[in-house]
Amino acid sequence: MNRLYKTLIYDKQVSLSVLDTTGIAQDARDIHRLAPAAAKTLAELLTCGTYMAGCLKSPKGAVSITVKAGENSGSVSVSGDVDLHMRGYIDGSAEGRLCGGFMTVVKDDGFFRPFTGACELVSDDVSKNMEHYFDISEQIPTKVRVAAKFDGEKCVAAGGIVMQLLPGASPNTAAAVEKKAALIGDVAADIAALGAEGVVKKYFAGETEGTYSYITEPQYKCNCSRSKISALLATMGRAELEDIIKEQGEVSVHCHYCNTAYKFGSEDIEKLFK
Ligand SMILES: [Zn+2]
């Protein structure tokens, strides 16, 4: 099940997003054959990415989050677009840990140039790092509670709750959001038991009644294709590609996001330059 539920709460001073990303988390685990700890970290970052993709407005909007963690830790990268097609990968050596290092966010929302923000990692916890990112880089008070739970190869549940203060939100509203965030317990358990709409009812029944809301279905979907890879190869030039064919017998390009290998033989390379 995948769901993104969005609405405004507290007199339209706060945007609320509730996500069920269990299906995305399961797809990510299966595509990359991850151990539970790494699958959990990737799923939680994919949930944050899905939230950000849900805030995009341009029909060509896209967002990516890259985490380059420090020593004895690894790297994670997730990206998605305005259609909520999400993808990601995690460095196998990471074992899900996010100690040290940096997080970078690139948002392309149809403006002249993409917005890039970055912050230091402050915790092993994905939610705390995201809150820190919004605080430092975008200067928007945001409460992030994302979680994923795996039982061996199976994702029991993944999802999250994000509350973001809109410009002009009153101090009383900020205090109410703090209080509400403190009430939120185990989000993965809540999603498993209630689903996204059930979570909205459990925590926000009083604030969402009569407000406009919408629900979309994000999914794990890579945007790579043989024709895109072909176009990329063509920019390398014929001589270099022919050298690779001579040495390795073929040109092989691997998409990290969906674990697909694209193979090109000498005839394919010839066609590229016709
Ligand atoms: Zn791909």
Side-chain angles (χ1 to χ4, degrees):
M1 174 73 90
N2 293 316
R3 278 271 192 282
L4 166 60
Y5 178 102
K6 278 194 85 153
T7 193
L8 297 175
I9 54 175
Y10 296 121
D11 288 329
K12 299 182 180 165
Q13 294 182 43
V14 176
S15 94
L16 168 71
S17 296
V18 177
L19 301 106
D20 179 347
T21 50
T22 308
I24 291 176
Q26 186 70 60
D27 286 347
R29 200 237 60 101
D30 294 345
I31 287 166
H32 301 294
R33 294 182 205 101
L34 298 171
K40 174 178 156 65
T41 299
L42 179 56
E44 290 178 358
L45 209 65
L46 274 165
T47 304
C48 296
T50 307
Y51 163 70
M52 286 189 179
C55 297
L56 295 168
K57 287 169 184 74
S58 157
K60 286 187 178 170
V63 62
S64 70
I65 309 172
T66 305
V67 174
K68 290 249 182 273
E71 236 175 285
N72 300 323
S73 195
S75 62
V76 197
S77 180
V78 308
S79 62
D81 58 30
V82 72
D83 296 322
L84 302 182
H85 293 164
M86 305 306 301
R87 56 195 187 136
Y89 69 86
I90 182 164
D91 184 324
S93 68
E95 284 173 12
R97 297 180 67 239
L98 291 181
C99 285
F102 280 87
M103 174 157 69
T104 310
V105 174
V106 179
K107 269 192 243 180
D108 188 348
D109 207 2
F111 298 112
F112 176 60
R113 65 173 60 149
F115 168 87
T116 304
C119 74
E120 242 174 302
L121 298 178
V122 290
S123 162
D124 225 4
D125 181 66
V126 171
S127 300
K128 290 207 177 95
N129 286 316
M130 283 315 295
E131 285 186 354
H132 183 62
Y133 163 78
F134 281 115
D135 194 24
I136 294 293
S137 188
E138 300 197 16
Q139 279 128 38
I140 306 172
T142 308
K143 289 285 160 197
V144 181
R145 296 287 182 274
V146 291
K149 190 168 188 277
F150 282 83
D151 180 5
E153 296 182 354
K154 190 183 180 315
C155 180
V156 179
I161 300 171
V162 181
M163 288 180 281
Q164 187 160 69
L165 264 64
L166 299 175
S170 72
N172 280 349
T173 299
V177 166
E178 285 287 341
K179 231 169 139 183
K180 189 66 85 177
L183 293 176
I184 298 167
D186 183 342
V187 176
D190 279 335
I191 291 289
L194 307 167
E197 281 100 323
V199 169
V200 174
K201 277 197 195 108
K202 175 174 175 177
Y203 293 108
F204 304 98
E207 286 87 30
T208 51
E209 248 163 66
T211 59
Y212 173 77
S213 61
Y214 74 90
I215 298 162
T216 47
E217 284 186 38
Q219 57 177 305
Y220 194 103
K221 194 169 181 219
C222 191
N223 62 359
C224 72
S225 67
R226 194 170 172 87
S227 65
K228 274 190 191 169
I229 304 280
S230 299
L232 202 71
L233 286 179
T235 65
M236 286 172 67
R238 190 168 189 161
E240 193 170 335
L241 293 169
E242 280 172 351
D243 279 350
I244 296 172
I245 298 261
K246 249 181 241 159
E247 274 168 34
Q248 297 168 18
E250 64 181 10
V251 178
S252 178
V253 180
H254 181 246
C255 175
H256 285 293
Y257 287 110
C258 63
N259 226 354
T260 304
Y262 294 92
K263 294 183 186 302
F264 297 80
S266 55
E267 277 176 27
D268 299 317
I269 298 301
E270 232 170 86
K271 268 188 219 159
L272 280 185
F273 294 97
K274 259 187 185 158

